[in-house]
């Protein structure tokens, strides 16, 4: 089995970008099942459907929906990869930081931490 250290940035990003796209789309739609589809069990246990709805309604009222994002950097760890993006929003001129920690799960990845600030 190939290790994270042996994977190219492109290989990692090809795996995690669609997962992050889905997470962000689930957030925009306030769709708990979609948003948490690729969460680890630990991560899913920390976010209830009601809490997701509250978070999404709050940020959408303040800054709109999340818009385009650009990769800033990925950080390799022994058992995970942290990815940082420059995140824009539809109702704000501010720039935000989106970050997520991905852990390998067979031939895919799971999100073990994610935040936008």
């Amino acid at each position: 089995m190939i290790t994270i250290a042996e994977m190219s940035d492109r290989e990692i990003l090809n795996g995690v970008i669609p997962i992050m796209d889905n997470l962000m789309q689930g957030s925009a739609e306030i769709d708990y099942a979609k948003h948490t589809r690729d969460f680890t069990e630990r991560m899913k246990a920390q976010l209830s459907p009601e809490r997701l709805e509250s978070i999404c309604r709050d940020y959408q009222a303040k800054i709109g929906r999340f818009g385009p994002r650009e990769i800033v950097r990925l950080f390799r760890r022994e058992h995970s990869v942290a990815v940082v993006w420059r995140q824009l929003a539809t109702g704000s001129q501010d720039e935000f930081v989106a970050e997520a920690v991905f852990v390998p799960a067979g031939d895919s990845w799971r999100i073990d931490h994610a935040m936008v600030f």
Side-chain angles (χ1 to χ4, degrees):
M1 180 175 167
I2 191 168
T3 67
I4 291 171
E6 296 169 316
M7 296 178 77
S8 70
D9 288 359
R10 183 54 35 211
E11 287 174 303
I12 293 169
L13 293 172
N14 284 345
V16 303
I17 288 174
I19 292 170
M20 189 66 166
D21 289 345
N22 179 75
L23 176 143
M24 296 303 252
Q25 188 62 40
S27 173
E29 296 170 5
I30 312 178
D31 181 330
Y32 181 81
K34 187 173 197 173
H35 182 75
T36 63
R37 180 190 73 191
D38 299 298
F39 280 13
T40 61
E41 290 304 315
R42 186 196 73 76
M43 178 80 168
K44 194 177 276 193
Q46 296 181 24
L47 183 66
S48 69
E50 297 78 19
R51 181 72 179 127
L52 176 68
E53 181 175 356
S54 174
I55 290 168
C56 294
R57 292 204 187 286
D58 181 59
Y59 86 72
Q60 288 177 13
K62 292 176 183 173
I63 64 169
R65 291 184 174 198
F66 293 122
R69 64 180 188 281
E70 300 170 6
I71 299 244
V72 174
R73 175 118 197 255
L74 62 84
F75 299 87
R76 296 164 191 276
R77 301 173 177 175
E78 184 177 356
H79 301 289
S80 65
V81 175
V83 183
V84 176
W85 288 269
R86 174 180 168 258
Q87 177 70 59
L88 302 178
T90 60
S92 175
Q93 296 299 312
D94 292 344
E95 297 177 322
F96 301 91
V97 175
E99 59 83 10
V101 175
F102 299 88
V103 295
D107 291 338
S108 188
W109 297 89
R110 292 286 178 255
I111 298 169
D112 198 49
H113 182 270
M115 183 178 289
V116 177
F117 55 94

